[in-house]
């Protein structure tokens, strides 16, 4: 005849067993909550870094455009990113960036550089091959980033900043292929040489300094 040991177990032992199971369940629930919170924090942090990358990339594109436009004689892009900090080609020095910003995604000072036919820097990009969370609703000048597979595809090139500014100013336009006005960019030959074929720009890692 089988004897049910649990029926003869002391009342205190049964209560301790139930308490232990309750503690285990509580630990599991707390662990799941912490994991979920960590995932939400990680996603929010990455989205913030993506916004920062768009801002930093725009600053570089704008600075490259201004460096080109302020060339005293032959229009040229800088050979080094440091040239954007202090442009001494004219009697009056110009400063296009307050400092050289790091890549927010890799948290690194190593940028990929897009160079033109003469070796001048026409754009920058993150060297991260991770897939971005942001897939759409980009600023107008970076609308081509929609659907890109990696952060390295977000190429911040000076001609985008130039085209947007020219279109807003309504100056230097000519009829486009569809009859609409299109900005004339005197640098287009240099930029086309740098961007064609895509997406394989000349990559020259450059060590930035703060």
């Amino acid at each position: 005849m089988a004897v049910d040991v649990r029926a003869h177990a002391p009342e205190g032992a049964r209560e301790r067993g139930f308490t232990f199971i309750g503690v285990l369940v509580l630990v599991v629930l707390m662990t799941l909550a912490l994991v979920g919170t960590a995932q939400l924090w990680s996603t929010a942090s990455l989205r913030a870094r993506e916004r920062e990358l768009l801002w930093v990339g725009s600053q570089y594109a704008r600075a490259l455009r201004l460096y080109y436009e302020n060339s005293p004689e032959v229009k040229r892009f800088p050979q080094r990113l440091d040239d954007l900090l202090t442009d001494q080609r004219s009697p009056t020095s110009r400063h296009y960036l307050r400092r050289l910003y790091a890549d927010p995604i890799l948290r690194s000072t190593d940028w990929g550089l897009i160079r033109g036919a003469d070796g001048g820097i026409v754009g920058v990009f993150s060297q991260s091959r991770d897939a971005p969370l942001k897939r759409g609703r980009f600023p107008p000048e970076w609308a081509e980033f929609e659907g890109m597979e990696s952060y390295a595809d977000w190429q911040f090139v000076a001609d985008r900043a130039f085209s947007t500014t020219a279109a807003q100013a309504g100056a230097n336009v000519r009829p486009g292929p569809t009859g609409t006005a299109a900005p004339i960019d005197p640098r287009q030959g240099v930029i086309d040489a740098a961007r064609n074929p895509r997406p394989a720009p000349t990559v020259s890692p450059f060590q930035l300094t703060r």
Side-chain angles (χ1 to χ4, degrees):
M1 178 178 176
V3 178
D4 188 352
V5 178
R6 292 174 299 178
H8 299 279
E11 186 70 22
R14 289 199 298 270
E15 290 180 356
R16 286 194 296 272
F18 290 136
T19 301
F20 180 72
I21 294 174
V23 169
L24 286 180
V25 171
L26 181 60
V27 168
V28 171
L29 292 177
M30 290 179 64
T31 301
L32 293 176
L34 289 174
V35 169
T37 301
Q39 290 176 341
L40 288 175
W41 182 88
S42 178
T43 299
S45 175
L46 183 55
R47 290 193 184 279
R49 287 155 58 195
E50 287 181 342
R51 291 192 295 270
E52 186 179 359
L53 176 60
L54 288 171
W55 184 85
V56 169
S58 297
Q59 296 303 303
Y60 275 111
R62 172 184 173 276
L64 291 168
R65 172 178 60 84
L66 291 175
Y67 184 95
Y68 179 93
E69 292 177 345
N70 289 320
S71 299
E73 296 178 357
V74 179
K75 300 295 185 183
R76 296 184 183 278
F77 287 99
Q79 296 293 318
R80 306 177 308 149
L81 290 179
D82 294 271
D83 296 336
L84 300 174
L85 296 178
T86 303
D87 181 3
Q88 297 179 336
R89 297 174 298 168
S90 301
T92 303
S93 298
R94 293 185 173 92
H95 309 280
Y96 308 119
L97 286 178
R98 297 179 59 185
R99 63 185 178 91
L100 294 178
Y101 302 100
D103 172 7
I105 300 299
L106 292 178
R107 303 185 187 278
S108 167
T109 55
D110 230 6
W111 284 97
L113 303 180
I114 306 172
R115 294 186 179 270
D118 64 350
I121 302 171
V122 301
V124 300
F125 61 93
S126 169
Q127 298 196 72
S128 171
R129 293 293 174 180
D130 292 342
L133 294 177
K134 186 175 180 63
R135 309 291 290 180
R137 301 182 67 181
F138 288 93
E141 64 268 34
W142 311 123
E144 65 175 19
F145 293 173
E146 184 169 353
M148 291 295 187
E149 297 299 325
S150 73
Y151 292 112
D153 295 325
W154 292 11
Q155 298 176 13
F156 299 93
V157 184
D159 67 323
R160 293 299 175 188
F162 176 89
S163 299
T164 301
T165 302
Q168 291 173 348
N172 295 329
V173 296
R174 67 183 176 202
T178 60
T180 58
I184 298 174
D185 189 346
R187 308 162 302 157
Q188 199 59 52
V190 176
I191 294 169
D192 287 344
R195 294 173 65 88
N196 186 31
R198 292 191 65 199
T202 302
V203 179
S204 175
F206 189 91
Q207 189 70 22
L208 304 182
T209 57
R210 291 183 177 270

